[in-house]
Amino acid sequence: MEAWKASKPFVTGSLSGCMATCCIQPIDMVKVRIQLGAAEGGSTSPVEVTKKLLREDGITGMYKGLSAGLTRQVFYTGARLGLYDIFTDAAKVPGEKMPFWKTTVCALSAGGIAAVVGNPADLSLIRMQADTMLPEAERRNYRGVMHAFSSIVRDEGVGGLFKGAVPTATRAMALNFGMLGFNTMAKDALADMGLQKGGAAQVFGASAIAGFFASFFSLPFDYVKTQVQKMKPDPVTGEMPFKGPIDCAMQQVKKGGITRLWTGFPTYYVRIAPHAMITLIAQDNVKKLWTSLGI
């Protein structure tokens, strides 16, 4: 039972994330294509991008990278939700409401650690989703997440699995801050307004608020992360287009102003907010399931 007690927060987080990803994967695919298209001067219209994707790859193209997406949820969401629960439990003072600064520290810490753990799967997911946009000769043609892992290690070394880890971790910290920090704060605020603690209205309302803030705070970092992870050396000079995430962000702002970093916000919001809501609602229900089973 001690082993189950230690692993339960991580199992709960993994299950919640996988449920949400199965629902949201097509929107995530469109979001990535919009970000990549914007960097290359292509269309940023969700409708046009979706039509082009369906025309070229069919309905199965919407689920490209699902194996990597689910693997990422097992490690990344399992870790960030599990660690957040562990950190907040340790930070609580009995009989006192936890201050927002403590919630923030717990959310940022859990997000950063989890992102490093989940980076190999996240890198594989981005590359699999972007592959068909490359010229045929430059495609990586990963067959699945395990083939992606082995190919990256073979071609780039073990360190290649952690390419883009800094912007990924930064984005995860921003996402966790918006999602988990504001979810906890919103739950307390809604309970103070008279909504039943643990009731459907409180859980749904708090998750909706958290979804918005998760989207707003994390999109600039997500945009930079996508550009860094999919970059390839120039075939003539052999140089990378960006020296790193900061250089990437500066180049993007120079090209299109600060709002360039929020490219595709409507699609990103439609992808992140429901994913955050489904994850948080699923997490609440999985926790209730464990309680009803007595485990």
Side-chain angles (χ1 to χ4, degrees), residues 8-22:
K8 186 165 73 169
F10 301 103
V11 174
T12 302
S14 296
L15 288 173
S16 305
C18 286
M19 289 178 201
T21 290
C22 288

Side-chain angles (χ1 to χ4, degrees), residues 176-253:
N176 242 32
F177 168 63
M179 177 178 166
L180 299 181
F182 280 86
N183 182 61
T184 300
M185 186 176 75
K187 275 185 173 179
D188 290 342
L190 292 171
D192 290 343
M193 290 167 61
L195 292 183
Q196 181 186 349
K197 194 171 183 179
Q202 187 212 30
V203 171
F204 182 84
S207 67
I209 292 167
F212 173 80
F213 283 105
S215 305
F216 181 79
F217 284 118
S218 66
L219 179 54
F221 302 105
D222 185 82
Y223 183 81
V224 170
K225 173 185 76 74
T226 299
Q227 307 305 322
V228 170
Q229 288 187 325
K230 71 97 182 183
M231 68 179 176
K232 296 188 75 171
D234 187 284
V236 178
T237 64
E239 291 184 4
M240 288 292 192
F242 313 117
K243 295 182 179 69
I246 295 175
D247 179 52
C248 175
M250 290 175 68
Q251 285 194 40
Q252 298 302 323
V253 171

Side-chain angles (χ1 to χ4, degrees), residues 89-201:
D89 284 345
K92 280 177 184 172
V93 176
E96 290 183 17
K97 187 181 289 187
M98 190 156 64
F100 188 62
W101 72 265
K102 279 191 178 182
T103 304
T104 299
V105 171
C106 292
L108 292 174
S109 303
I113 295 168
V116 175
V117 172
N119 197 77
D122 188 56
L123 176 65
S124 302
L125 174 63
I126 293 292
R127 289 186 175 182
M128 289 167 76
Q129 289 178 326
D131 211 35
T132 55
M133 295 183 72
L134 296 171
E136 201 163 334
E138 295 179 26
R139 291 178 188 173
R140 296 181 172 97
N141 296 314
Y142 297 147
R143 293 189 297 272
V145 65
M146 297 314 296
H147 181 234
F149 286 172
S150 61
S151 299
I152 292 168
V153 171
R154 184 190 66 232
D155 299 337
E156 305 169 43
V158 175
L161 291 170
F162 295 93
K163 184 174 284 184
V166 172
T168 299
T170 309
R171 179 253 189 195
M173 292 169 74
L175 178 70
N176 242 32
F177 168 63
M179 177 178 166
L180 299 181
F182 280 86
N183 182 61
T184 300
M185 186 176 75
K187 275 185 173 179
D188 290 342
L190 292 171
D192 290 343
M193 290 167 61
L195 292 183
Q196 181 186 349
K197 194 171 183 179

